[in-house]
Every structure is written in structure tokens, then in C-alpha cells.
């Protein structure tokens, strides 16, 4: 499933100047949209069933598992963005995830946000598709 394109991309320099939590905020939305589109294409079921499938895939625990699936594929730059997100200091933590999973998920979201904002669509699409196969 492909995401809508970002028609006003940032430069890498501009994106690196953003807070990792801002990158994660954008990445959370992009990842959620990706999961919704994939799940929608797999079912003709009711929206409550669709919603439950999406919620399972966008939880901090599931995002941490997704990160584990792609971590070995990251470039040095992508690894740096992930680490910045993981090591950031969020103001809250998920109720149903460990602190480690939550921090890993934040790093995953920061990476997704960074790739989206810098219009690295093919790379983003590839990493999301690999991360989605971790079931």
C-alpha cells in the first residue's frame, strides 16, 4: 500500500533540526495511515474489526517489534534518527507497554516522520512493508 506523497519536502538539514518528538508526532500519523490503508485493503469487514486490527499494529509494543524487523536494514543516517527519537525525553509513557518498548516505538516513529518529511518515499515504503511483515 502506498502513502500519499509529501509535496513540500524538507531538506535533510531542516528535518534534522526538528525535535525528535516532532518527527515522532508526524511519524505516528504517517504510520497509522499506512496501517489503516493496508488493513482496509485486506478486509471487507466492519469498521470495528478494522479499528481493532489497526490498534494492535500501532501500539508501542507492535511498533517496537516493527523496529526490530528493520533495524539491521538502516543506513547510518536512519540509525542516527532512530537513536535520537529513542533517546528523547517524552512527557508521558504508554500504559500498556514497557518503557523500553515505548522509547523504541518513539524512535521508530521519528524515523518514519523523518523519511516522510524529507520525501524519501521509496525508502519509507520499503521499510514500512518490511516492518509490517513481522507478524
Amino acid at each position: 500500500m502506498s502513502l500519499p506523497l509529501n509535496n513540500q519536502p524538507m531538506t535533510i538539514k531542516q528535518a534534522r533540526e526538528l525535535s525528535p518528538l516532532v518527527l515522532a508526532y508526524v511519524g505516528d500519523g504517517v504510520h497509522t495511515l499506512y496501517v489503516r490503508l493496508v488493513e482496509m485493503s485486506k478486509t471487507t469487514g466492519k469498521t470495528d474489526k478494522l479499528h481493532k486490527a489497526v490498534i494492535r499494529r500501532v501500539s508501542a509494543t507492535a511498533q517496537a517489534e516493527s523496529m526490530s524487523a528493520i533495524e539491521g536494514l538502516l543506513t547510518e543516517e536512519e540509525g542516527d534518527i532512530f537513536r535520537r527519537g529513542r533517546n528523547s525525553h517524552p512527557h508521558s509513557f504508554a500504559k500498556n507497554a514497557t518503557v523500553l518498548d515505548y522509547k523504541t516505538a518513539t524512535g521508530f516513529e521519528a524515523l518514519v516522520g523523518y523519511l516522510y518529511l524529507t520525501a524519501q518515499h521509496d525508502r519509507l515504503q520499503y521499510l514500512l512493508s518490511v516492518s509490517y511483515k513481522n507478524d
Side-chain angles (χ1 to χ4, degrees):
M1 188 58 51
S2 65
L3 289 163
L5 300 179
N6 175 8
N7 292 325
Q8 295 183 334
M10 292 182 161
T11 66
I12 288 173
K13 182 179 185 294
Q14 289 171 320
R16 286 190 64 80
E17 290 173 353
L18 291 173
S19 157
L21 294 177
V22 170
L23 292 174
Y25 178 75
V26 171
D28 179 54
V30 171
H31 182 245
T32 300
L33 178 59
Y34 176 81
V35 171
R36 285 180 177 199
L37 293 171
V38 169
E39 290 298 329
M40 178 192 70
S41 71
K42 291 175 17 179
T43 185
T44 57
K46 296 181 180 182
T47 56
D48 63 326
K49 196 173 185 181
L50 181 62
H51 178 70
K52 288 176 185 172
V54 170
I55 292 300
R56 277 191 304 274
R57 293 300 311 213
V58 299
S59 71
T61 302
Q63 287 181 338
E65 291 170 4
S66 292
M67 190 64 220
S68 294
I70 64 169
E71 199 163 9
L73 303 173
L74 301 184
T75 65
E76 187 175 327
E77 175 77 10
E78 293 164 349
D80 185 47
I81 296 296
F82 162 71
R83 283 185 294 281
R84 283 182 57 218
R86 182 194 62 202
N87 296 336
S88 64
H89 300 286
H91 302 290
S92 64
F93 291 98
K95 291 181 263 180
N96 299 318
T98 67
V99 171
L100 179 60
D101 279 354
Y102 189 80
K103 286 178 159 281
T104 302
T106 302
F108 174 77
E109 291 172 343
L111 175 61
V112 170
Y114 172 79
L115 292 173
Y116 184 77
L117 290 172
T118 57
Q120 297 181 55
H121 299 122
D122 290 340
R123 182 65 176 164
L124 175 59
Q125 189 69 42
Y126 171 70
L127 291 175
L128 287 176
S129 68
V130 169
S131 75
Y132 205 81
K133 294 176 186 169
N134 71 8
D135 280 339

